[in-house]
PDB file of all heavy atoms in Angstrom:
ATOM      1  N   MET A 414      25.799  20.875 -11.508  1.00 83.00           N
ATOM      2  CA  MET A 414      26.116  20.608 -10.108  1.00 83.00           C
ATOM      3  C   MET A 414      26.475  21.896  -9.379  1.00 83.00           C
ATOM      4  O   MET A 414      26.015  22.157  -8.264  1.00 83.00           O
ATOM      5  CB  MET A 414      27.270  19.606 -10.032  1.00 83.00           C
ATOM      6  CG  MET A 414      27.587  19.108  -8.634  1.00 83.00           C
ATOM      7  SD  MET A 414      28.963  17.939  -8.629  1.00 83.00           S
ATOM      8  CE  MET A 414      28.275  16.633  -9.644  1.00 83.00           C
ATOM      9  N   MET A 415      27.266  22.753 -10.031  1.00 80.00           N
ATOM     10  CA  MET A 415      27.696  23.989  -9.374  1.00 80.00           C
ATOM     11  C   MET A 415      26.548  24.973  -9.197  1.00 80.00           C
ATOM     12  O   MET A 415      26.443  25.645  -8.168  1.00 80.00           O
ATOM     13  CB  MET A 415      28.827  24.639 -10.185  1.00 80.00           C
ATOM     14  CG  MET A 415      30.158  23.905 -10.084  1.00 80.00           C
ATOM     15  SD  MET A 415      31.511  24.800 -10.842  1.00 80.00           S
ATOM     16  CE  MET A 415      31.112  24.661 -12.568  1.00 80.00           C
ATOM     17  N   PHE A 416      25.668  25.038 -10.165  1.00 79.00           N
ATOM     18  CA  PHE A 416      24.584  26.008 -10.089  1.00 79.00           C
ATOM     19  C   PHE A 416      23.435  25.553  -9.200  1.00 79.00           C
ATOM     20  O   PHE A 416      22.703  26.372  -8.673  1.00 79.00           O
ATOM     21  CB  PHE A 416      24.048  26.295 -11.491  1.00 79.00           C
ATOM     22  CG  PHE A 416      24.780  27.398 -12.206  1.00 79.00           C
ATOM     23  CD1 PHE A 416      25.714  27.111 -13.181  1.00 79.00           C
ATOM     24  CD2 PHE A 416      24.539  28.732 -11.892  1.00 79.00           C
ATOM     25  CE1 PHE A 416      26.380  28.122 -13.835  1.00 79.00           C
ATOM     26  CE2 PHE A 416      25.210  29.746 -12.541  1.00 79.00           C
ATOM     27  CZ  PHE A 416      26.142  29.448 -13.521  1.00 79.00           C
ATOM     28  N   ASN A 417      23.297  24.246  -9.043  1.00 74.00           N
ATOM     29  CA  ASN A 417      22.086  23.740  -8.386  1.00 74.00           C
ATOM     30  C   ASN A 417      22.321  23.029  -7.066  1.00 74.00           C
ATOM     31  O   ASN A 417      21.428  22.975  -6.242  1.00 74.00           O
ATOM     32  CB  ASN A 417      21.334  22.788  -9.331  1.00 74.00           C
ATOM     33  CG  ASN A 417      20.851  23.495 -10.581  1.00 74.00           C
ATOM     34  OD1 ASN A 417      20.264  24.552 -10.498  1.00 74.00           O
ATOM     35  ND2 ASN A 417      21.133  22.921 -11.742  1.00 74.00           N
ATOM     36  N   LYS A 418      23.467  22.445  -6.851  1.00 53.00           N
ATOM     37  CA  LYS A 418      23.639  21.593  -5.680  1.00 53.00           C
ATOM     38  C   LYS A 418      24.727  22.047  -4.718  1.00 53.00           C
ATOM     39  O   LYS A 418      24.936  21.418  -3.690  1.00 53.00           O
ATOM     40  CB  LYS A 418      23.927  20.160  -6.137  1.00 53.00           C
ATOM     41  CG  LYS A 418      22.791  19.530  -6.913  1.00 53.00           C
ATOM     42  CD  LYS A 418      23.082  18.079  -7.233  1.00 53.00           C
ATOM     43  CE  LYS A 418      21.918  17.460  -7.987  1.00 53.00           C
ATOM     44  NZ  LYS A 418      22.160  16.039  -8.332  1.00 53.00           N
ATOM     45  N   LEU A 419      25.436  23.094  -5.067  1.00 45.00           N
ATOM     46  CA  LEU A 419      26.477  23.619  -4.162  1.00 45.00           C
ATOM     47  C   LEU A 419      27.495  22.547  -3.787  1.00 45.00           C
ATOM     48  O   LEU A 419      27.943  22.475  -2.648  1.00 45.00           O
ATOM     49  CB  LEU A 419      25.841  24.198  -2.891  1.00 45.00           C
ATOM     50  CG  LEU A 419      24.752  25.255  -3.092  1.00 45.00           C
ATOM     51  CD1 LEU A 419      24.216  25.690  -1.754  1.00 45.00           C
ATOM     52  CD2 LEU A 419      25.255  26.441  -3.868  1.00 45.00           C
ATOM     53  N   LYS A 420      27.836  21.698  -4.740  1.00 41.00           N
ATOM     54  CA  LYS A 420      28.776  20.613  -4.454  1.00 41.00           C
ATOM     55  C   LYS A 420      30.134  20.892  -5.102  1.00 41.00           C
ATOM     56  O   LYS A 420      30.227  21.547  -6.141  1.00 41.00           O
ATOM     57  CB  LYS A 420      28.241  19.282  -4.967  1.00 41.00           C
ATOM     58  CG  LYS A 420      27.070  18.757  -4.164  1.00 41.00           C
ATOM     59  CD  LYS A 420      26.695  17.388  -4.635  1.00 41.00           C
ATOM     60  CE  LYS A 420      25.554  16.834  -3.795  1.00 41.00           C
ATOM     61  NZ  LYS A 420      25.143  15.486  -4.241  1.00 41.00           N
ATOM     62  N   THR A 421      31.165  20.358  -4.492  1.00 43.00           N
ATOM     63  CA  THR A 421      32.507  20.509  -5.042  1.00 43.00           C
ATOM     64  C   THR A 421      32.665  19.601  -6.249  1.00 43.00           C
ATOM     65  O   THR A 421      32.273  18.447  -6.216  1.00 43.00           O
ATOM     66  CB  THR A 421      33.560  20.123  -3.984  1.00 43.00           C
ATOM     67  OG1 THR A 421      33.328  20.928  -2.833  1.00 43.00           O
ATOM     68  CG2 THR A 421      34.966  20.364  -4.506  1.00 43.00           C
ATOM     69  N   LEU A 422      33.228  20.145  -7.314  1.00 35.00           N
ATOM     70  CA  LEU A 422      33.452  19.350  -8.517  1.00 35.00           C
ATOM     71  C   LEU A 422      34.787  18.626  -8.432  1.00 35.00           C
ATOM     72  O   LEU A 422      35.758  19.132  -7.878  1.00 35.00           O
ATOM     73  CB  LEU A 422      33.438  20.259  -9.753  1.00 35.00           C
ATOM     74  CG  LEU A 422      32.124  21.024  -9.975  1.00 35.00           C
ATOM     75  CD1 LEU A 422      32.279  21.979 -11.137  1.00 35.00           C
ATOM     76  CD2 LEU A 422      31.014  20.057 -10.241  1.00 35.00           C
ATOM     77  N   ASN A 423      34.797  17.437  -8.982  1.00 36.00           N
ATOM     78  CA  ASN A 423      36.044  16.691  -9.043  1.00 36.00           C
ATOM     79  C   ASN A 423      36.999  17.343 -10.040  1.00 36.00           C
ATOM     80  O   ASN A 423      36.583  17.967 -11.016  1.00 36.00           O
ATOM     81  CB  ASN A 423      35.778  15.248  -9.475  1.00 36.00           C
ATOM     82  CG  ASN A 423      34.961  14.509  -8.451  1.00 36.00           C
ATOM     83  OD1 ASN A 423      35.109  14.752  -7.251  1.00 36.00           O
ATOM     84  ND2 ASN A 423      34.093  13.624  -8.912  1.00 36.00           N
ATOM     85  N   GLU A 424      38.263  17.197  -9.797  1.00 40.00           N
ATOM     86  CA  GLU A 424      39.247  17.763 -10.708  1.00 40.00           C
ATOM     87  C   GLU A 424      39.240  16.992 -12.020  1.00 40.00           C
ATOM     88  O   GLU A 424      39.317  15.770 -12.026  1.00 40.00           O
ATOM     89  CB  GLU A 424      40.639  17.707 -10.083  1.00 40.00           C
ATOM     90  CG  GLU A 424      40.774  18.593  -8.851  1.00 40.00           C
ATOM     91  CD  GLU A 424      42.183  18.587  -8.319  1.00 40.00           C
ATOM     92  OE1 GLU A 424      43.020  17.908  -8.927  1.00 40.00           O
ATOM     93  OE2 GLU A 424      42.437  19.269  -7.330  1.00 40.00           O
ATOM     94  N   ALA A 425      39.145  17.729 -13.133  1.00 39.00           N
ATOM     95  CA  ALA A 425      39.147  17.069 -14.442  1.00 39.00           C
ATOM     96  C   ALA A 425      40.533  16.552 -14.796  1.00 39.00           C
ATOM     97  O   ALA A 425      40.678  15.530 -15.452  1.00 39.00           O
ATOM     98  CB  ALA A 425      38.670  18.039 -15.513  1.00 39.00           C
ATOM     99  N   SER A 426      41.564  17.251 -14.363  1.00 40.00           N
ATOM    100  CA  SER A 426      42.940  16.784 -14.585  1.00 40.00           C
ATOM    101  C   SER A 426      43.834  17.444 -13.566  1.00 40.00           C
ATOM    102  O   SER A 426      43.418  18.311 -12.821  1.00 40.00           O
ATOM    103  CB  SER A 426      43.399  17.138 -16.008  1.00 40.00           C
ATOM    104  OG  SER A 426      43.531  18.552 -16.134  1.00 40.00           O
ATOM    105  N   GLY A 427      45.064  17.068 -13.541  1.00 40.00           N
ATOM    106  CA  GLY A 427      45.978  17.630 -12.559  1.00 40.00           C
ATOM    107  C   GLY A 427      46.281  19.084 -12.792  1.00 40.00           C
ATOM    108  O   GLY A 427      46.696  19.801 -11.885  1.00 40.00           O
ATOM    109  N   ASN A 428      46.076  19.581 -14.028  1.00 41.00           N
ATOM    110  CA  ASN A 428      46.403  20.970 -14.349  1.00 41.00           C
ATOM    111  C   ASN A 428      45.249  21.920 -14.103  1.00 41.00           C
ATOM    112  O   ASN A 428      45.403  23.123 -14.158  1.00 41.00           O
ATOM    113  CB  ASN A 428      46.830  21.082 -15.823  1.00 41.00           C
ATOM    114  CG  ASN A 428      48.094  20.283 -16.086  1.00 41.00           C
ATOM    115  OD1 ASN A 428      48.971  20.202 -15.226  1.00 41.00           O
ATOM    116  ND2 ASN A 428      48.187  19.692 -17.278  1.00 41.00           N
ATOM    117  N   ILE A 429      44.047  21.352 -13.878  1.00 41.00           N
ATOM    118  CA  ILE A 429      42.868  22.194 -13.662  1.00 41.00           C
ATOM    119  C   ILE A 429      42.609  22.282 -12.171  1.00 41.00           C
ATOM    120  O   ILE A 429      42.534  21.279 -11.476  1.00 41.00           O
ATOM    121  CB  ILE A 429      41.639  21.612 -14.392  1.00 41.00           C
ATOM    122  CG1 ILE A 429      41.912  21.569 -15.893  1.00 41.00           C
ATOM    123  CG2 ILE A 429      40.404  22.446 -14.123  1.00 41.00           C
ATOM    124  CD1 ILE A 429      40.784  20.975 -16.701  1.00 41.00           C
ATOM    125  N   GLU A 430      42.446  23.489 -11.674  1.00 41.00           N
ATOM    126  CA  GLU A 430      42.305  23.697 -10.236  1.00 41.00           C
ATOM    127  C   GLU A 430      40.975  23.167  -9.712  1.00 41.00           C
ATOM    128  O   GLU A 430      40.026  22.955 -10.456  1.00 41.00           O
ATOM    129  CB  GLU A 430      42.442  25.190  -9.929  1.00 41.00           C
ATOM    130  CG  GLU A 430      41.415  26.042 -10.664  1.00 41.00           C
ATOM    131  CD  GLU A 430      41.674  27.516 -10.492  1.00 41.00           C
ATOM    132  OE1 GLU A 430      41.480  27.984  -9.367  1.00 41.00           O
ATOM    133  OE2 GLU A 430      42.056  28.178 -11.455  1.00 41.00           O
TER     134      GLU A 430
END
Side-chain angles (χ1 to χ4, degrees):
M414 187 180 298
M415 287 188 290
F416 272 102
N417 297 312
K418 297 185 179 180
L419 306 179
K420 289 186 178 179
T421 304
L422 300 175
N423 295 326
E424 294 184 1
S426 68
N428 297 325
I429 299 178
E430 58 187 291

